[in-house]
Each structure stands twice: as structure tokens, then as C-alpha cells.
Amino acid sequence: MVSLKEYIESTKDWQTEIYFFAGEDENVMKESHFMEKFHDKDVEVLYMTHPIDAYLLDNVREFDNHMFKDITKRFEFKDEDLIKRHEKVDEEKFSSLISWLKKVYGKEIAKITISKRLGKAPAIVTNGPYGQSAHVQQIMKSQSYAGNEQAKEQLSAMKMYRELEINPRHPIVASLLENAPEEGDDSFVTSRELRDSAYFLLDTALLSGGFALEPDEAFSNRMLRVLSTRLEVESLELEDEINSPVEEDFPPEINLERSFHREVFFYFDVT
């Protein structure tokens, strides 16, 4: 437990914001991909685990001239001049992949950027500055189940703020870049395998960002195709039913003599 005043006193020289992370389980939050950069830089983050915290910080913007900053939204450190130079190179290198992914995802993702914070994960989904965090959306979702129509409408609208950050150093992203079409190549035909890979990247990025998946028929079909490939199943046609032999049905044998004695015993026991 630390006070806001104590937090500010321990901040880095370049730090002008109060970093916070809203969630349910502090142990899970510590291991989140959102925390990788903060662990590397030894920067403290406030864990907000009470449901009211996230709503409170939407209305209380600052404390002692330090703005509150949700690390699950669009984010960059103030001291990253070198990373900004790398970013320009990465943006040119991955521009074709980003353009292609935008076409594949359509309205499911508002923006795709090069991540400045990811280490182990290939990608992560965040929210723009005006969107609600995944934690707040989970709270809103529970309210919508309780019949709150306003929460349902707000939750649906939140999808338009989702942003995908891709890790330029991750081998999965590098492989997608190799297989994606050149920018402006309208003749390229996307294979089903490549499209599935793009959506699996998005699925894992949503989970890494704390969002819940919304499985539909397309998701189920993708999973079946992966299982078929892994198990080397050539066709999903059902096999013929087994011709099981017909068994005769005999009535159970009844020992009438034993039944009679049991009834007599029961009669005398009662009297």
C-alpha cells in the first residue's frame, strides 16, 4: 500500500504521470504483458483492484500536477528518443503488413501500430485515449447481463476504440510480414491458412489485453481447421455408422419363491 504523495516522491526524473493498472487480481496483473516495459525500466505502477477505482480515475484526472495514465491504453514513455528512431524504421518495414491486416480485420480494429512496449508477446489489443479499459468493459458486461440496456449500448460502442499493437521483433510477426502481400498489390489472393493466422494473432492479442473473446461460427471453423492440420485429418466428412449386431431383449428372471418369503417377513415385522 502506497499513498499518491509517496508514489510521486519515488518517480523517475523524467516521469510526469502516475501510472496505474485497473484489474481484479494483482498477481495476474504483475505478469501481464502490459507490465513488461515497466519491469524492465523499474518503474512503479499502481494496481487498482477495486471496481470503483477505474470509474473514479476517469473523473479525477490528476494529482499534484501529475496526470493519471492508464497503462492498458495507448502508451509511450517520455524518455524513448532511441525507440522513436527505431519506430520510424519499423513503420516503413511493416507498412505492407499493417495495410494488409487492416483489410483483413476491417472494423474489428480501429488502428494498428508498432508497439513500443512489448517484449514476449507478438501483439496486444489496447484502447485509444477515449475508450474504456478491458477491466471496465468487463464490469459493463456484467451490468449488461443484469439487464442494463445503457451498458449494452456503451459496450458495443467501445469496440470502435480498439487498437492493435504488433511487436516488430517477434518471429510470428516477422513471418506474417514475409507472407503478406506488398502494399498496393491488389492481385494478391489471401490463402485461408494465412487469413486464419492473422485472426489467431488478433485472438491472442485480445486475450493478452484482458478482453474476452466472442466465439462465433468463424472462430469455431478456424479451430477445427487447426485441429485437422495438427492431427493430419484429410476430410471432415463423417464416417459411416457402426453396424452393431441386434441383441435380443429377454425379460429379467424373477424368483417368485424368494419374493413371497420377503413379503411375509415384511408383514410380520410390521405387526
Side-chain angles (χ1 to χ4, degrees):
M1 184 71 70
V2 63
S3 68
L4 292 176
K5 184 178 180 181
E6 291 171 334
Y7 178 91
I8 292 175
E9 290 174 351
S10 65
T11 56
K12 304 293 183 182
D13 294 338
W14 47 264
Q15 187 176 343
T16 60
E17 297 169 314
I18 300 173
Y19 303 127
F20 73 92
F21 188 177
E24 296 180 356
D25 190 328
E26 185 174 327
N27 292 324
V28 174
M29 295 158 71
K30 287 179 180 178
E31 300 299 322
S32 169
H33 292 299
F34 285 120
M35 289 297 301
E36 290 180 359
K37 202 73 172 179
F38 292 91
H39 291 320
D40 292 343
K41 287 180 168 289
D42 192 28
V43 176
E44 188 175 8
V45 175
L46 298 178
Y47 298 119
M48 304 293 195
T49 56
H50 195 284
I52 198 63
D53 290 337
Y55 289 108
L56 176 65
L57 293 174
D58 271 345
N59 296 284
V60 181
R61 299 291 182 178
E62 65 176 62
F63 177 82
D64 195 17
N65 296 321
H66 284 68
M67 297 292 293
F68 286 103
K69 181 66 176 179
D70 184 350
I71 69 168
T72 67
K73 295 185 179 182
R74 190 188 305 167
F75 182 88
E76 67 179 53
F77 286 106
K78 302 296 184 181
D79 68 332
E80 296 188 332
D81 292 335
L82 177 61
I83 289 182
K84 288 179 180 178
R85 292 198 297 270
H86 288 171
E87 182 184 10
K88 291 181 180 179
V89 177
D90 287 333
E91 284 179 349
E92 293 178 2
K93 178 180 179 181
F94 289 89
S95 61
S96 59
L97 176 61
I98 291 175
S99 297
W100 177 72
L101 288 176
K102 285 180 179 178
K103 292 179 181 179
V104 172
Y105 298 145
K107 295 181 179 180
E108 295 183 56
I109 291 295
K111 187 176 182 179
I112 302 176
T113 60
I114 302 296
S115 180
K116 306 178 185 67
R117 53 177 156 188
L118 288 178
K120 298 178 181 179
I124 198 167
V125 170
T126 65
N127 261 323
Y130 304 106
Q132 297 287 6
S133 67
H135 177 60
V136 171
Q137 291 189 36
Q138 288 178 353
I139 297 174
M140 294 170 64
K141 192 171 184 178
S142 64
Q143 293 174 340
S144 69
Y145 284 142
N148 188 327
E149 293 300 325
Q150 184 179 3
K152 289 182 180 179
E153 294 176 0
Q154 291 176 342
L155 189 61
S156 178
M158 285 300 103
K159 293 181 180 179
M160 65 183 293
Y161 297 107
R162 290 180 179 178
E163 300 180 1
L164 177 68
E165 296 182 14
I166 59 174
N167 185 351
R169 298 174 58 200
H170 201 281
I172 290 178
V173 176
S175 179
L176 280 174
L177 175 63
E178 291 179 3
N179 290 278
E182 294 292 333
E183 194 166 3
D185 184 2
D186 297 330
S187 63
F188 182 83
V189 178
T190 301
S191 67
R192 189 169 62 181
E193 291 78 10
L194 185 58
R195 187 179 182 86
D196 284 348
S197 298
Y199 267 100
F200 279 126
L201 178 70
L202 178 59
D203 291 338
T204 56
L206 284 166
L207 292 174
S208 295
F211 295 92
L213 295 181
E214 298 178 3
D216 53 13
E217 186 176 355
F219 176 85
S220 300
N221 290 336
R222 285 198 300 273
M223 294 302 298
L224 285 175
R225 286 193 290 269
V226 170
L227 285 173
S228 300
T229 302
R230 285 296 184 90
L231 298 174
E232 298 181 353
V233 177
E234 296 181 357
S235 174
L236 293 180
E237 292 293 329
L238 298 180
E239 295 184 357
D240 295 334
E241 291 187 1
I242 299 175
N243 292 323
S244 55
V246 178
E247 298 182 359
E248 297 185 17
D249 189 13
F250 295 101
E253 295 183 1
I254 300 176
N255 191 331
L256 297 176
E257 182 179 354
R258 185 179 179 184
S259 299
F260 172 76
H261 286 303
R262 290 174 69 182
E263 290 178 5
V264 172
F265 176 79
F266 177 76
Y267 171 78
F268 285 109
D269 183 61
V270 172
T271 59

